[in-house]
């Protein structure tokens, strides 16, 4: 029986694990993707002053290109990863099917390693961005088509981008890109309330065109996105762009606790200010929770607090 | 006029600044202590197997002693510090007297540099632990007398410590120390409710003695704490210890906004899940807020979220 099982190996899960190891807690991390989002590579066509034609910009290779700043927090997550993986028996590559509680003991059912037991559990299994279901979307994902506009604002300076979505994140992404991009198209399948302050700012921006009620019908490009075709009531427009970003919602990876714990309507796990869920001894952290802010540094803090709270629980239940 | 002024140069303030610089926001950090708590040094006497007599253990020199693990998050904070200080005009060594708001503009009154203006402000000015006011306390602070028991649990393995205080942090600290220390004395000036789960666990520990209703009257030692003298109703006991930890409460550094923003009864700044305060455009992060968990990693996450929210505000108020 472990003191703590952490479900998920992204920023939140690894921060929780590093904290737990520091406190000499018997911890096991069950992960499918160690490092989580920080491993995602994104490339796009980019004209530069010093190269003719198209080059690929690897945004997450620090120092490789002038447009490639290291992503804030990535080094810290790599260091946590190192701390967890250099200790024997602390990380298990597997998928968690279900978490159940009987008495004071949690059972974590895995796909390949059977059932594990623990006195506390932290769910840090993250989200999956909802994907566009149109021709070209599957082929071009991470090649000019991204699901997080805010991460790439710097690389789009002077370029043209389209943002698809009516979520607050989509609007924020468009606003951030518009500060430096030459042209931003905002494709809003659902029309925003006119008094949303960000919508008002965007509507005044000379380099932003808002396409209300339009839907994406195709994404095109050879090795990277070249154009996005949108449509409303039979009217079709083809937008020539350097990159396309969709934010049509996030799907939390919370199915393993859906019968156990309180979630919101979309499945995000409800946590309090201690990262505690509705089940004593069960904590959650990072994007899978109702907490605000999908950023590596924020996930690190949430993971650490979940581990602190799990530790509090363990100390009070010895 | 700056986009953002950050008050405080600890983990939360520096994380907020690093986030803001990454977003190319015009930011200024006004600090009195760059790095904050991570710069604190703590030493104590320690008998070791390989040295006769007393040596000084420097707990925050990574790798210097086997008992000296690097403090989790300290490297990250140093990296943020480097990012902030290598850019010209982003950090100002000064004390903030008062923050006021007129229209949409904040005025930050400093002691030596006059008044600065900004569109948003993040307060990340931290806390000061309340000090014991007894003979020896002032002389021995950080020399065997600390104000955060949980940071030093590892170094106390097999040793004897006293924890002073009735706060939840004091109880947690005592419980954590008791897992590895030979003997822990818990001096509780205020008697805890008997049904507190942590109090119950502590009362059952064979290596914990709870001294209810006792007060510290003296702390003694030559270059580091050797003993703590306590008293109740004229009964005096002298406890021989390797270290003493007091947690008699934290005082938030929030006086510069006390007339502006909503705080709790003790002066901690009330923030919501976006790190927003009661004043639009004014955010707060870290130990100065009502948020749970005084840990470097948590402060990093809170600082980043405050900066994200300040950025949201700036985007929506251009």
């Amino acid at each position: 029986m472990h003191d703590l099982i952490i479900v998920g190996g992204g920023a939140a899960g690894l921060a929780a694990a590093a904290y737990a190891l520091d406190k000499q807690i018997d911890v096991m991390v069950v992960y499918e993707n160690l490092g989580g989002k920080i491993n995602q590579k994104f490339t796009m066509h980019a004209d530069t002053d010093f190269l003719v034609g198209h080059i690929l910009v690897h945004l997450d290779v620090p120092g490789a290109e002038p447009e490639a700043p290291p992503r804030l927090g990535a080094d810290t997550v790599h260091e946590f990863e190192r701390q967890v993986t250099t200790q024997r028996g602390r990380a298990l590559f597997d998928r968690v099917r279900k978490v159940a509680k009987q008495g004071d003991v949690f059972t974590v059912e895995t796909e390949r390693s059977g059932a594990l037991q623990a006195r506390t559990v932290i769910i840090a299994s993250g989200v999956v961005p909802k994907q566009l279901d149109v021709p070209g979307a599957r082929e071009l994902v991470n090649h000019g088509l991204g699901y997080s506009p805010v991460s790439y604002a710097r690389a789009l300076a002077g370029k043209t981008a389209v943002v698809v979505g009516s979520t607050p994140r989509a609007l924020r992404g468009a606003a951030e890109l518009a500060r430096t991009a030459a042209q931003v198209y905002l494709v809003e399948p659902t029309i925003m309330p006119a008094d949303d302050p960000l919508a008002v700012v965007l509507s005044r921006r000379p380099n932003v065109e808002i396409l209300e009620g339009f839907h994406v019908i195709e994404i095109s490009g050879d090795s990277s996105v070249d154009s996005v075709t949108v449509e409303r009531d039979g009217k079709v427009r083809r937008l020539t762009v350097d990159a396309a970003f969709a934010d049509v919602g996030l799907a939390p990876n919370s199915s393993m606790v859906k019968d156990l714990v309180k979630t919101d309507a979309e499945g995000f796990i409800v946590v309090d200010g201690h990262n505690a869920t509705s089940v004593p001894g069960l904590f959650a952290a990072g994007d899978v929770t109702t907490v605000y802010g999908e950023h590596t540094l924020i996930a690190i803090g949430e993971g650490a607090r979940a581990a602190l709270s799990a530790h509090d629980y363990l100390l009070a239940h010895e």
Side-chain angles (χ1 to χ4, degrees), chain A:
Chain A
M1 167 119 69
H2 297 286
D3 285 334
L4 169 63
I5 290 175
I6 298 169
V7 181
L14 288 174
Y19 184 98
L21 288 173
D22 186 59
K23 293 295 184 189
Q24 301 181 283
I25 291 170
D26 170 4
V27 63
M28 172 70 87
V29 181
V30 186
Y31 68 92
E32 291 179 73
N33 177 10
L34 214 54
K37 282 189 300 194
I38 64 163
N39 293 324
Q40 223 167 67
K41 299 247 183 297
F42 183 85
T43 62
M44 62 174 183
H45 293 312
D47 298 314
T48 71
D49 290 342
F50 52 91
L51 272 179
V52 180
H54 284 158
I55 61 155
L56 290 176
V57 178
H58 293 269
L59 290 181
D60 50 4
V61 182
E65 245 80 47
E67 300 90 342
R71 274 192 269 164
L72 210 57
D75 289 347
T76 311
V77 176
H78 284 305
E79 169 57 20
F80 294 157
E81 187 179 328
R82 194 193 61 74
Q83 288 172 22
V84 172
T85 54
T86 51
Q87 294 209 20
R88 194 195 302 261
R90 294 307 188 182
L92 177 69
F93 172 62
D94 209 328
R95 177 190 293 263
V96 171
R97 280 195 178 143
K98 197 178 174 182
V99 177
K101 190 181 184 188
Q102 202 154 28
D104 284 339
V105 177
F106 289 94
T107 302
V108 176
E109 223 176 84
T110 67
E111 214 162 84
R112 290 179 295 276
S113 320
L116 309 172
Q117 293 196 313
R119 297 165 62 203
T120 61
V121 171
I122 295 174
I123 306 293
S125 43
V127 291
V128 176
K130 291 179 189 163
Q131 312 285 304
L132 288 177
D133 186 19
V134 299
R138 187 186 295 260
E139 295 79 3
L140 292 164
V141 67
N142 290 331
H143 298 285
L145 171 61
Y147 287 94
S148 178
V150 295
S151 305
Y152 308 114
R154 264 189 203 210
L156 269 296
K159 307 201 184 303
T160 297
V162 61
V163 176
V164 182
S166 311
T167 65
R169 275 168 41 109
L171 262 68
R172 172 151 55 89
E176 196 170 332
L177 289 171
R179 290 179 60 200
T180 54
Q183 173 71 37
V184 174
Y185 300 103
L186 176 59
V187 178
E188 287 189 345
T190 310
I191 293 160
M192 294 300 296
D195 60 349
D196 181 289
L198 211 44
V200 172
V201 168
L202 282 166
S203 66
R204 290 193 194 131
R205 276 263 186 204
N207 64 338
V208 175
E209 184 179 349
I210 301 178
L211 295 154
E212 281 186 329
F214 276 82
H215 291 260
V216 176
I217 56 170
E218 188 173 8
I219 297 180
S220 312
D222 188 5
S223 61
S224 181
V225 172
D226 285 327
S227 71
V228 173
T229 309
V230 298
E231 182 263 338
R232 183 182 66 184
D233 305 332
K235 185 182 168 195
V236 172
R237 278 186 66 181
R238 188 183 169 103
L239 312 167
T240 303
V241 296
D242 294 298
F245 298 104
D247 197 329
V248 290
L250 300 170
N253 294 323
S254 60
S255 61
M256 78 293 280
V257 289
K258 72 177 161 44
D259 300 327
L260 183 64
V261 79
K262 190 179 167 190
T263 67
D264 71 6
E266 295 175 275
F268 290 94
I269 299 173
V270 177
V271 290
D272 66 12
H274 289 59
N275 291 76
T277 69
S278 58
V279 177
L282 183 67
F283 305 88
D287 293 353
V288 76
T289 69
T290 47
V291 159
Y292 178 66
E294 299 91 25
H295 190 280
T296 307
L297 293 180
I298 296 175
I300 288 171
E302 296 292 324
R305 182 161 38 220
L308 167 64
S309 292
H311 191 205
D312 285 352
Y313 179 93
L314 289 167
L315 287 173
H317 292 79
E318 289 207 343

